[in-house]
Amino acid sequence: MRKTFGSGSVWEQTLGYSRAVQVDNTLFISATAASGPDGIVGDDFYSQTKYILEKLGAVLEEAGFSYEDVVQSKLYLTDISKWEDAGRAHGEVFGDIRPTLALVHVLPFLDQEMLVEIELVAQKSAS
């Protein structure tokens, strides 16, 4: 089974991607930024990471998953020296769940206000 989930972004059609794709019991969520209806939410690594994880929680829920199902998390940071700020927000959500984690230092995103993007993989246990 393959099912796609969209966010309504015009970029999904233009670039040919989905916010998330579920294949059987695994959900792959595209890298997500702290973009809100009025632009980027937050002006630091902690607040953007926190906002993104809230957005991703809604994506997980829409697909029938939860934070507890997350097995892999990738944080893309434009300033790797701010890893502790992003990590603190990440730990507030995943501290007891403990998925695998990658902290990746990247060049600035297309929108210079974007400091963080997060990509998740979630998997439900086979019952």
Side-chain angles (χ1 to χ4, degrees), residues 26-97:
T26 304
L27 183 69
F28 302 89
I29 303 176
S30 293
T32 302
S35 55
D38 298 319
I40 300 301
V41 176
D43 59 359
D44 60 61
F45 285 80
Y46 175 82
S47 61
Q48 285 195 17
T49 302
K50 186 172 175 67
Y51 183 78
I52 294 165
L53 290 170
E54 291 169 2
K55 283 178 64 173
L56 292 174
V59 174
L60 288 162
E61 186 177 323
E62 178 186 356
F65 289 75
S66 70
Y67 289 126
E68 288 77 16
D69 297 316
V70 173
V71 295
Q72 184 178 64
S73 180
K74 294 180 183 176
L75 276 69
Y76 301 95
L77 310 174
T78 58
D79 182 349
I80 200 66
S81 74
K82 303 295 185 186
W83 70 270
E84 289 179 277
D85 296 331
R88 182 167 42 97
H90 187 273
E92 290 171 4
V93 173
F94 292 113
D96 292 332
I97 301 164

Side-chain angles (χ1 to χ4, degrees), residues 5-10 12 17-19:
F5 298 87
S7 68
S9 166
V10 297
E12 290 176 13
Y17 77 97
S18 296
R19 167 60 53 222

